[in-house]
């Protein structure tokens, strides 16, 4: 019971910190004039949408934020850990070829469509499961971070997170059970790191 109470308290504190951070004008919430102007292009159309869909979107935004934070935190962890372990050429030397090929396809697909590059880091073009493959392939570099588990233990948590990510990324509403499962699995991820 103490673990549940501690989890709820930590989740509440994290929620408050996230809310404060998102209200900070220095956080990437500053919107340009052109973005404000483009809001008018969709506002009247979205007002026509069933209110329950709009309410569900507000609810699901919380889970998108969780995954945005988590996935980018894991990307930074992978980049920093491998840069420390194998040097600045970590992408070329430590990332499995299948992941590099997928990233290359993603970058080319976006470029072919005339999209502005989302990042100058290849790792930002990886998907969640591919990050798990990079960790598994380089387990020796990550074993000290995940001192209380094995590569398979980390893979299991990443697999659970990836399954939870699907409905969020594909705009489906999470059931109450899946919300709890998601939050527990996020907690599991951070507990793996001590």
């Amino acid at each position: 019971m103490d673990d549940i109470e501690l989890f709820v308290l930590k989740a509440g504190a994290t929620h408050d910190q996230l809310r404060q951070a998102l209200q900070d004008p220095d956080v990437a919430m500053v919107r340009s004039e052109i973005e404000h102007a483009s809001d008018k292009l969709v506002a009247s159309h979205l007002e026509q949408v069933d209110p329950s869909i709009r309410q569900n979107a507000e609810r699901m935004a919380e889970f998108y934020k969780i995954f945005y934070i988590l996935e980018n935190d894991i990307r930074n962890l992978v980049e920093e850990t491998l840069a420390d372990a194998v040097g600045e050429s970590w992408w070329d030397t430590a990332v499995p070829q299948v992941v590099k090929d997928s990233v290359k396809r993603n970058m080319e697909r976006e470029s072919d469509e005339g999209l502005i590059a989302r990042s100058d880091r290849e790792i930002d073009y990886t998907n969640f499961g591919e990050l798990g493959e990079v960790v598994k392939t380089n387990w020796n570099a990550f074993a000290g971070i995940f001192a209380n588990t094995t590569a398979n233990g980390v893979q299991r948590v990443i697999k659970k997170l990836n399954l939870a990510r699907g409905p969020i990324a594909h705009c489906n509403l999470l059931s109450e059970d899946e919300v709890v499962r998601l939050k527990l699995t996020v907690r599991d991820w951070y507990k793996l790191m001590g």
Side-chain angles (χ1 to χ4, degrees):
M1 191 62 150
D2 289 342
D3 287 342
I4 293 172
E5 289 173 357
L6 181 60
F7 173 71
V8 170
L9 287 172
K10 284 184 176 181
T14 301
H15 182 264
D16 289 343
Q17 290 171 346
L18 282 172
R19 186 175 300 248
Q20 287 174 351
L22 292 172
Q23 291 173 352
D24 183 346
D26 293 333
V27 176
M29 296 294 290
V30 177
R31 296 169 50 132
S32 68
E33 287 182 37
I34 195 165
E35 187 177 352
H36 277 295
S38 67
D39 288 347
K40 295 174 186 171
L41 297 174
V42 296
S44 64
H45 298 293
L46 295 180
E47 288 173 4
Q48 298 173 33
V49 174
D50 185 304
S52 67
I53 293 174
R54 294 195 313 266
Q55 288 172 341
N56 288 343
E58 289 295 324
R59 174 74 173 128
M60 291 304 296
E62 173 187 349
F63 309 118
Y64 173 80
K65 288 176 190 176
I66 290 171
F67 258 99
Y68 182 93
I69 292 167
L70 178 68
E71 193 164 330
N72 283 288
D73 190 41
I74 293 172
R75 284 186 177 125
N76 290 340
L77 173 72
V78 167
E79 180 177 37
E80 292 166 9
T81 302
L82 292 178
D84 287 346
V86 299
E88 292 303 313
S89 62
W90 67 271
W91 182 263
D92 298 322
T93 60
V95 175
Q97 189 60 46
V98 66
V99 173
K100 289 191 274 192
D101 292 344
S102 175
V103 164
K104 184 178 179 187
R105 282 191 304 275
N106 290 340
M107 293 173 83
E108 288 173 350
R109 187 177 310 117
E110 290 182 15
S111 177
D112 289 348
E113 292 298 321
L115 299 176
I116 295 171
R118 68 172 94 157
S119 175
D120 58 354
R121 300 185 325 164
E122 287 96 347
I123 197 165
D124 289 334
Y125 290 85
T126 57
N127 66 41
F128 203 73
E130 290 167 342
L131 293 169
E133 285 302 310
V134 174
V135 170
K136 183 173 89 174
T137 301
N138 296 281
W139 182 248
N140 288 340
F142 291 93
I145 295 169
F146 300 105
N148 298 322
T149 192
T150 64
N152 287 336
V154 171
Q155 284 295 107
R156 275 193 293 280
V157 173
I158 287 176
K159 184 177 180 181
K160 286 181 189 177
L161 288 167
N162 203 27
L163 288 172
R165 182 184 183 275
I168 298 165
H170 298 285
C171 302
N172 297 117
L173 192 62
L174 288 180
S175 68
E176 181 180 16
D177 290 346
E178 292 308 312
V179 168
V180 172
R181 192 178 335 273
L182 166 64
K183 291 179 179 181
L184 289 172
T185 307
V186 169
R187 181 196 65 173
D188 290 346
W189 170 260
Y190 287 104
K191 285 183 87 170
L192 286 177
M193 291 188 283

